[in-house]
Coordinates of all heavy atoms in Angstrom, one line a residue:
M663 N -43.6 105.3 33.6 CA -42.8 106.2 32.7 C -41.3 106.2 33.2 O -40.4 106.1 32.3 CB -43.3 107.7 32.7 CG -44.7 107.9 32.2 SD -44.9 107.5 30.5 CE -45.9 105.9 30.6
I664 N -41.1 106.3 34.5 CA -39.8 106.3 35.0 C -39.1 105.0 34.7 O -37.9 104.9 34.3 CB -39.8 106.6 36.5 CG1 -40.3 108.0 36.8 CG2 -38.5 106.3 37.2 CD1 -40.7 108.3 38.2
L665 N -39.8 103.8 34.9 CA -39.2 102.6 34.7 C -38.9 102.4 33.2 O -37.8 101.8 32.8 CB -40.1 101.4 35.2 CG -40.3 101.4 36.7 CD1 -41.3 100.3 37.0 CD2 -39.0 101.1 37.3
D666 N -39.8 102.8 32.3 CA -39.5 102.7 30.9 C -38.3 103.5 30.5 O -37.6 103.2 29.6 CB -40.7 103.2 30.1 CG -41.7 102.1 29.8 OD1 -41.5 100.9 30.2 OD2 -42.8 102.4 29.3
S667 N -38.1 104.6 31.2 CA -36.9 105.5 30.9 C -35.6 104.9 31.2 O -34.5 105.4 30.7 CB -37.0 106.9 31.6 OG -38.1 107.6 31.1
V668 N -35.5 103.8 31.9 CA -34.3 103.2 32.3 C -33.6 102.7 31.0 O -32.4 103.0 30.8 CB -34.5 102.0 33.3 CG1 -33.2 101.3 33.5 CG2 -34.9 102.6 34.7
A669 N -34.3 102.0 30.2 CA -33.7 101.3 29.0 C -34.5 101.5 27.7 O -34.3 100.7 26.8 CB -33.4 99.9 29.3
S670 N -35.3 102.5 27.7 CA -36.1 102.7 26.5 C -36.5 104.2 26.4 O -36.7 104.8 27.5 CB -37.4 101.9 26.6 OG -38.1 101.9 25.4
P671 N -36.5 104.7 25.2 CA -36.7 106.2 25.1 C -38.1 106.6 25.5 O -39.1 106.1 25.0 CB -36.3 106.5 23.7 CG -36.6 105.2 23.0 CD -36.2 104.1 23.9
I672 N -38.2 107.6 26.3 CA -39.4 108.3 26.7 C -39.3 109.8 26.4 O -38.3 110.4 26.8 CB -39.8 108.0 28.2 CG1 -40.1 106.6 28.5 CG2 -41.0 108.9 28.6 CD1 -41.4 106.1 27.8
M673 N -40.3 110.3 25.8 CA -40.3 111.8 25.4 C -41.0 112.5 26.6 O -42.2 112.7 26.6 CB -41.0 112.0 24.1 CG -40.3 111.4 23.0 SD -41.1 111.4 21.4 CE -42.3 110.1 21.5
W674 N -40.2 112.9 27.6 CA -40.7 113.5 28.8 C -41.4 114.8 28.5 O -42.3 115.2 29.4 CB -39.6 113.7 29.8 CG -39.4 112.4 30.5 CD1 -38.5 111.4 30.1 CD2 -40.0 111.9 31.7 NE1 -38.6 110.3 31.0 CE2 -39.5 110.6 31.9 CE3 -41.0 112.4 32.5 CZ2 -39.9 109.8 33.0 CZ3 -41.4 111.7 33.6 CH2 -40.9 110.4 33.8
L675 N -41.1 115.6 27.6 CA -41.7 116.9 27.4 C -42.7 116.9 26.2 O -43.1 118.0 25.8 CB -40.6 117.9 27.2 CG -39.7 118.1 28.4 CD1 -38.6 119.1 28.1 CD2 -40.5 118.5 29.7
M676 N -43.1 115.8 25.6 CA -44.1 115.8 24.6 C -45.4 116.3 25.1 O -45.7 116.0 26.2 CB -44.3 114.4 24.1 CG -43.6 113.9 22.9 SD -43.5 115.0 21.6 CE -44.6 114.2 20.3
P677 N -46.1 117.1 24.4 CA -46.0 117.4 23.0 C -45.1 118.7 22.6 O -45.1 119.1 21.5 CB -47.5 117.7 22.6 CG -48.0 118.4 23.9 CD -47.3 117.7 25.0
F678 N -44.4 119.2 23.7 CA -43.7 120.4 23.5 C -42.3 120.2 22.9 O -41.7 121.0 22.2 CB -43.5 121.2 24.8 CG -44.9 121.5 25.4 CD1 -45.3 120.8 26.5 CD2 -45.7 122.4 24.8 CE1 -46.6 121.1 27.0 CE2 -47.0 122.7 25.3 CZ -47.4 122.0 26.4
D679 N -41.7 119.0 23.2 CA -40.4 118.7 22.8 C -40.4 117.2 22.5 O -40.7 116.4 23.4 CB -39.3 119.1 23.8 CG -37.9 118.8 23.4 OD1 -37.7 118.3 22.3 OD2 -37.0 119.1 24.2
G680 N -40.0 116.7 21.4 CA -39.9 115.3 21.0 C -38.7 114.6 21.3 O -38.5 113.5 20.9
H681 N -37.8 115.2 22.1 CA -36.5 114.6 22.5 C -36.7 113.5 23.4 O -37.4 113.6 24.4 CB -35.5 115.7 23.1 CG -34.2 115.1 23.4 ND1 -33.3 114.8 22.4 CD2 -33.6 114.7 24.6 CE1 -32.2 114.4 23.0 NE2 -32.4 114.3 24.3
A682 N -36.3 112.3 23.1 CA -36.5 111.1 23.9 C -35.3 110.9 24.8 O -34.1 111.1 24.4 CB -36.7 109.9 23.1
L683 N -35.6 110.5 26.1 CA -34.5 110.3 27.1 C -34.6 108.8 27.6 O -35.7 108.3 27.8 CB -34.7 111.2 28.2 CG -34.6 112.8 27.9 CD1 -35.1 113.5 29.2 CD2 -33.2 113.1 27.5
E684 N -33.4 108.3 27.8 CA -33.3 107.0 28.4 C -32.0 106.9 29.1 O -31.0 107.6 28.8 CB -33.4 105.9 27.3 CG -32.3 105.9 26.3 CD -32.5 104.9 25.2 OE1 -33.1 103.8 25.4 OE2 -32.2 105.3 24.0
L685 N -32.0 106.2 30.3 CA -30.8 106.1 31.1 C -29.6 105.4 30.3 O -28.5 105.8 30.3 CB -31.1 105.4 32.4 CG -30.0 105.3 33.4 CD1 -29.5 106.7 33.8 CD2 -30.4 104.5 34.6
V686 N -30.0 104.2 29.8 CA -29.0 103.4 29.0 C -29.6 102.9 27.7 O -30.8 102.7 27.7 CB -28.4 102.2 29.8 CG1 -27.7 102.7 31.1 CG2 -29.5 101.3 30.2
T687 N -28.9 102.7 26.7 CA -29.4 102.1 25.5 C -29.0 100.6 25.5 O -27.8 100.2 25.8 CB -28.7 102.8 24.3 OG1 -29.0 104.1 24.3 CG2 -29.2 102.2 23.0
V688 N -30.0 99.8 25.3 CA -29.8 98.3 25.3 C -29.4 98.0 23.8 O -30.2 98.1 22.9 CB -31.0 97.5 25.7 CG1 -30.7 96.0 25.5 CG2 -31.3 97.9 27.1
P689 N -28.2 97.5 23.5 CA -27.8 97.2 22.2 C -28.5 95.9 21.7 O -28.8 95.0 22.5 CB -26.3 97.0 22.3 CG -26.0 96.7 23.7 CD -27.1 97.4 24.5
A690 N -28.8 95.9 20.4 CA -29.4 94.8 19.8 C -28.3 93.7 19.5 O -27.9 93.5 18.5 CB -30.1 95.1 18.5

Side-chain angles (χ1 to χ4, degrees):
M663 300 295 109
I664 293 166
L665 291 176
D666 274 355
S667 293
V668 171
S670 191
I672 293 291
M673 294 176 279
W674 280 88
L675 298 177
M676 260 321 248
F678 305 108
D679 182 359
H681 182 75
L683 301 170
E684 61 190 325
L685 182 61
V686 297
T687 301
V688 176

